[in-house]
Amino acid sequence: MDAERLDGIMRRHDYAPSGVIAMLQDLQREERYLPLEGLRLIAERVGIPASRVYSLATFYRSFSLKPRGRHLVSVCLGTACHVRGGGRIMDKVTRDLGTPQGEMTPDGRFTVEPVRCVGCCGLAPVVTVDETFYGGMTQQKVAGVLRRYE
Amino acid sequence: MARIKVDGVQVEAREGAPLLEVLRGMGIRVPTLCHNEAVSPYGACRLCLVEVASGPRTMLAASCLYPVAEGIEVSTTSERVRRARRMVVELLLARCGDVPRVRQVAEELGVTRSRFPQRHEACLLCGLCVRGCAQIAGVGAIDFTNRGVHMELSSAFGVPSEACVGCATCVYLCPADAVRLDAIRSRPSPHRMDRSGRVRCAVCVPQATP
Ligand code: FES
């Protein structure tokens, strides 16, 4: 993690305690996760307890304290997707990638995570990869979707 | 001053004052576990629930956080309040039924068992230690981490803290005796618990600690 880049992020948010969540979001966008060193630097520079930053970073599901792969595969297990077989899609994805939920593949390509509703239940079951939505998923379609990402 | 009605009695109270303070000032017993005058109210335990009628609406509210306002009518003994408190204490019992303070409060409310599965947790997540550390000690060595059923108290990054000064404010405030100073602080604290559960300080004169 680059301390200078992080300082740039903090500057963008005026080093303000009220901007800490935004800083965490920016840091996560750059690093794809939140390195502990970064959390420590934010606490120090903004002048709030490290425990507070850690508390925020662990509260929100979108933040990750573990390194994430280059692409984030989110399999929706919300009510609609669950009913339409989201669980089976999840099984297929984790089996194909050979990595359990919440873990990164050894080659650093993917991290798979379950989500509870991505807001388009009409397309259930839904998988998102990074910012792209794939609706009406089937086990057959999984491999094709994953192939698009390097 | 605001004129309010409490259990049918007309009283005057400072506008904006926490309702709980007014109730206790009147000698009304209100159970609490997450309240301590030394720190700001937080509304975690929900035991201080009362019924507040303001205009046409009646609602259950945590009295520790409810600011007194002109004309409100408060009931501390209604059936709805009693039922709500009993439910709350059942949930607390399910979470930490081994904690003497929780058992005692439950008993006072006439609850001896919980219909929910027992979790035997040591900490009831009242947040008194968090507030004490931040507001009294001015340190902020501990805070909540995670959320929902995974929520727990922890120092930053889940490792013993260098920020902790070992003042043991958290230990004093904890209603459940759940705080382990040596898990929070990276260096040994000058404070030690003796066998009676009292905190003893190796630096200050022993008599100076309560
Ligand atoms: S004292 Fe009000 S919620 Fe605990």
Side-chain angles (χ1 to χ4, degrees):
Chain A
M1 194 204 53
D2 184 340
E4 227 150 84
R5 285 243 297 279
L6 175 54
D7 196 71
I9 290 175
M10 291 193 271
R11 191 166 341 113
R12 253 201 319 278
H13 300 288
D14 298 326
Y15 303 101
S18 59
V20 167
I21 291 180
M23 293 174 203
L24 294 178
Q25 284 174 321
D26 289 359
L27 178 59
Q28 164 129 338
R29 201 166 303 129
E30 293 208 4
E31 304 285 332
R32 294 199 306 270
Y33 81 111
L34 299 174
L36 292 193
E37 199 39 46
L39 301 184
R40 230 178 243 126
L41 283 171
I42 290 177
E44 216 167 85
R45 189 64 182 77
V46 173
I48 60 172
S51 64
R52 189 81 216 131
V53 179
Y54 186 62
S55 179
L56 289 171
T58 56
F59 185 87
Y60 295 101
R61 274 296 300 279
S62 62
F63 291 141
S64 171
L65 297 179
K66 280 191 297 189
R68 274 175 168 171
R70 290 191 293 284
H71 305 287
L72 179 63
V73 184
S74 303
V75 180
C76 185
L77 300 178
T79 310
C81 289
H82 168 78
V83 170
R84 305 272 294 166
R88 282 196 299 277
I89 307 294
M90 177 58 104
D91 289 346
K92 174 75 173 149
V93 172
T94 49
R95 209 175 331 120
D96 278 12
L97 296 179
T99 197
Q101 294 181 25
E103 298 289 316
M104 178 169 71
T105 53
D107 58 4
R109 219 168 122 218
F110 292 110
T111 289
V112 193
E113 276 180 356
V115 290
R116 312 286 155 186
C117 196
V118 285
C120 50
C121 305
L123 303 178
V126 180
V127 169
T128 68
V129 183
D130 302 331
E131 317 271 84
T132 312
F133 287 71
Y134 298 95
M137 280 302 286
T138 59
Q139 291 198 325
Q140 287 72 28
K141 290 190 196 165
V142 166
V145 168
L146 295 180
R147 241 195 318 273
R148 299 188 195 183
Y149 298 90
E150 232 343 282
Chain B
M1 287 307 242
R3 288 156 45 81
I4 68 174
K5 220 180 204 172
V6 177
D7 294 335
V9 183
Q10 195 79 45
V11 288
E12 292 218 328
R14 184 170 55 80
E15 181 95 31
L19 184 54
L20 176 65
E21 245 169 54
V22 178
L23 300 179
R24 290 201 163 153
M26 293 172 71
I28 296 172
R29 268 186 83 86
V30 182
T32 59
L33 280 172
C34 74
H35 187 261
N36 187 306
E37 275 120 53
V39 293
S40 59
Y42 187 58
C45 73
R46 312 315 282 180
L47 281 166
C48 67
L49 287 175
V50 294
E51 218 175 335
V52 181
S54 156
R57 291 203 317 141
T58 304
M59 61 172 188
L60 286 173
S63 60
C64 65
L65 285 176
Y66 198 95
V68 166
E70 178 66 34
I72 57 171
E73 287 182 29
V74 182
S75 167
T76 67
T77 53
S78 71
E79 189 47 32
R80 194 175 167 204
V81 168
R82 260 199 294 257
R83 264 216 314 269
R85 283 187 191 159
R86 277 203 297 262
M87 172 58 88
V88 166
V89 91
E90 260 193 69
L91 289 164
L92 283 168
L93 268 184
R95 180 181 171 84
C96 26
D98 308 329
V99 174
R101 276 279 283 137
V102 173
R103 300 259 287 260
Q104 182 196 332
V105 170
E107 225 161 274
E108 280 166 23
L109 294 173
V111 176
T112 47
R113 52 178 302 274
S114 175
R115 78 193 80 168
F116 307 108
Q118 298 287 304
R119 287 185 56 182
H120 304 287
E121 297 279 352
C123 165
L124 55 121
L125 300 175
C126 69
L128 275 171
C129 54
V130 175
R131 286 173 281 156
C133 190
Q135 297 170 19
I136 299 176
V139 173
I142 36 173
D143 211 321
F144 295 104
T145 56
N146 303 318
R147 65 165 165 185
V149 292
H150 303 295
M151 186 180 265
E152 51 182 26
L153 280 142
S154 162
S155 38
F157 316 118
V159 296
S161 163
E162 270 157 45
C164 172
V165 294
C167 66
T169 301
C170 48
V171 178
Y172 288 122
L173 287 175
C174 181
D177 282 329
V179 182
R180 296 278 85 90
L181 213 46
D182 44 358
I184 296 173
R185 185 173 152 89
S186 56
R187 283 158 297 152
S189 164
H191 292 94
R192 284 273 158 260
M193 302 267 269
D194 71 12
R195 253 185 291 141
S196 67
R198 291 201 153 180
V199 179
R200 293 269 172 243
C201 179
V203 178
C204 347
V205 275
Q207 291 90 323
T209 57

